[in-house]
Amino acid sequence: MERLIWHQLRAGTHLSTRKGRGSLTILIALCVGFVLDLLIGDPLWLPHPVQGIGWLIARLEVPLRRVFPKSPGGELVAGGVMVVLVCLSGFLVPFALLWAAGLWSPYARLALECILCWQVLATKSLRDAAMQVYHPLAAGNLEAARKAVAGIVGRDTEALDAPGVARATVETVAENTGDGIVAPMLFFAIGGAPLALLYKAINTMDSMVGYKNSRFIYFGRAAARLDDLANYVPARLAGFLSVAAAGFCRLNAGGALRILRRDRKNHTSPNAGWPEAACAGALGVRLGGSSSYGGVMVEKPTIGDETRRIAPDDIRKACRLSFAVAVLCLTLCAAVRLAFVLPTLTF
C-alpha cells in the first residue's frame, strides 16, 4: 500500500496538505509497526513505554494518598488526580518526542512513530505468552503449565486442573485481543502514537489499581471507569471482528455470532465479554464460571456452550483467531486511513 503511494510521489504526485502528510505518516507507521511487532514482539532487553507508565503510577500513589484525606471521598479525589497526571504524561511525552523528531527530519519522526506503534501492539507477545502455557500443558506437565498461566492471569492457579488452565489461557487470549491489539491499533489509527500511548496509560492504570479490594476500591475507581469507557468501542469491534475471523480460521463463525449476541454481557467487565463470547462460540467451548482470587471464590456466569471439553489445542486455536482479528483490524484501520490520504493527493 505505502509502496504505491511512494511510487506516485516519485512520479510527480504530492500530498497537498499537512493533514494528508500526517495521515500518510500514521498509515505507514501502522503497517510497519504491525510487522515489527510480529517479527520482534517485546524483547526483555528493550525498555518499554508501559514500564515508564507503571513506574509513574507506582510513584504517584503514595504521595497522593498522603496529601488527600484517608476517606472514601479523599481516595476518590486522589485517584482522579493520578488519572489526570498519568494521562497527560501518556499523551504529552510521545507528542513532544514526535514534535522534536519532526524538527530534525520528517523521516526521523516517521521512524519514531513506527517504533512507538510497534511497542503499543501485543500480537506476538500475547501468542508467545499463551504458547508458553500450551507446550507444557500439551506435554502433560500440569505443574509447569500452572506456573506459566500464573504469569498472565489474576486468578489463583495452584489448584487448576488441565481444562482449567486451558480455559484461563483462552480467556486471556480473547480478552487481550481486545485491549492489547484492537484497542491500541484503533487509537493509533485515529490519532497516532500520542493517542495510542494515552490508551496504554489508561489500560495500565486499570491493571495496576483498578481492583475492587480494600486498597483500591476508591483510589482506583476513576482509572477503572475510564478504562471501561476507553474500551467500549474497541471491545465491540473485537467481538465482531472475531466473528469474521472465525470464518477465515475455519472455526464456527455462526456459533461465534450466536454466543456473542447471547452471552456478551455474562462478564463482570462491560467490555471483556464481547471478544470472550465470540471466541467461546467460535471454538465451541464454555468459558467463564467461578474462579478463585486471593483465596476467595468469586461466582461468575459462564460464557458459551460446552459442546465438548476444552482441550490444550484450543489455546492454539484461540491464538490463530487472535492473529486473524489483528490482520482484519489492521486492514480496516489502514483502509480508513488511506481514505484520508487519497483525497489529498494532487497530480
Side-chain angles (χ1 to χ4, degrees):
M1 184 182 302
E2 57 266 33
R3 182 183 299 175
L4 172 63
I5 296 174
W6 287 120
H7 175 74
Q8 291 176 322
L9 293 176
R10 289 195 298 268
T13 304
H14 65 277
L15 294 164
S16 58
T17 67
R18 180 176 297 178
K19 179 180 178 182
R21 291 191 294 273
S23 294
L24 179 60
T25 297
I26 291 176
L27 173 62
I28 295 174
L30 185 63
C31 296
V32 173
F34 181 79
V35 172
L36 288 175
D37 176 55
L38 291 183
L39 295 176
I40 304 173
D42 293 325
L44 296 177
W45 54 266
L46 184 68
H48 197 281
V50 170
Q51 293 174 318
I53 295 169
W55 177 88
L56 179 60
I57 294 168
R59 293 301 179 274
L60 285 173
E61 181 185 353
V62 173
L64 285 174
R65 286 183 182 275
R66 288 175 180 169
V67 169
F68 292 94
K70 292 180 175 59
S71 64
E75 290 191 3
L76 283 172
V77 174
V81 172
M82 182 201 68
V83 166
V84 172
L85 293 175
V86 173
C87 286
L88 285 174
S89 300
F91 182 85
L92 292 177
V93 169
F95 182 88
L97 291 174
L98 288 168
W99 176 78
L103 293 180
W104 180 28
S105 165
Y107 298 105
R109 179 188 175 95
L110 175 60
L112 179 58
E113 193 116 42
C114 291
I115 292 172
L116 292 175
C117 180
W118 156 39
Q119 293 196 311
V120 300
L121 299 178
T123 308
K124 185 178 187 298
S125 60
L126 178 59
R127 182 187 184 280
D128 290 347
M131 296 306 289
Q132 287 176 3
V133 181
Y134 166 77
H135 290 302
L137 189 62
N141 190 342
L142 181 58
E143 188 60 32
R146 286 171 175 167
K147 290 181 179 178
V149 78
I152 60 174
V153 301
R155 71 193 66 181
D156 300 331
T157 61
E158 297 83 359
L160 289 179
D161 57 8
V165 171
R167 182 177 298 107
T169 307
V170 170
E171 289 174 7
T172 296
V173 171
E175 181 178 356
N176 283 279
T177 296
D179 59 23
I181 300 173
V182 172
M185 192 183 298
L186 182 61
F187 280 104
F188 192 96
I190 295 171
L195 196 61
L197 280 161
L198 170 60
Y199 168 77
K200 295 298 287 187
I202 295 170
N203 192 240
T204 303
M205 281 190 290
D206 179 62
S207 67
M208 290 182 65
V209 304
Y211 299 102
K212 295 180 180 179
N213 54 29
S214 57
R215 178 179 175 183
F216 294 121
I217 184 67
Y218 298 111
F219 184 83
R221 184 172 298 179
R225 294 293 181 268
L226 185 58
D227 184 73
D228 290 343
L229 180 62
N231 278 296
Y232 186 87
V233 172
R236 284 146 183 79
L237 177 61
F240 287 116
L241 287 177
S242 295
V243 173
F248 289 102
C249 296
R250 297 183 179 180
L251 298 173
N252 190 347
L257 181 59
R258 180 175 63 85
I259 300 301
L260 174 67
R261 295 176 63 184
R262 191 191 74 186
D263 293 349
R264 66 188 186 278
K265 296 182 180 180
N266 289 3
H267 201 287
T268 54
S269 164
N271 299 314
W274 287 76
E276 285 192 30
C279 182
L283 299 179
V285 299
R286 178 175 292 167
L287 302 178
S290 301
S291 298
S292 175
Y293 295 86
V296 178
M297 186 60 65
V298 178
E299 301 294 329
K300 297 188 295 183
T302 59
I303 298 174
D305 296 325
E306 194 172 16
T307 59
R308 57 177 178 80
R309 192 172 177 84
I310 193 168
D313 196 55
D314 288 308
I315 297 175
R316 295 178 62 229
K317 293 177 182 177
C319 289
R320 191 165 74 246
L321 182 68
S322 176
F323 175 74
V325 169
V327 173
L328 288 177
C329 187
L330 174 69
T331 303
L332 176 63
C333 291
V336 172
R337 263 296 160 189
L338 186 61
F340 281 94
V341 172
L342 291 179
T344 66
L345 294 175
T346 58
F347 299 86

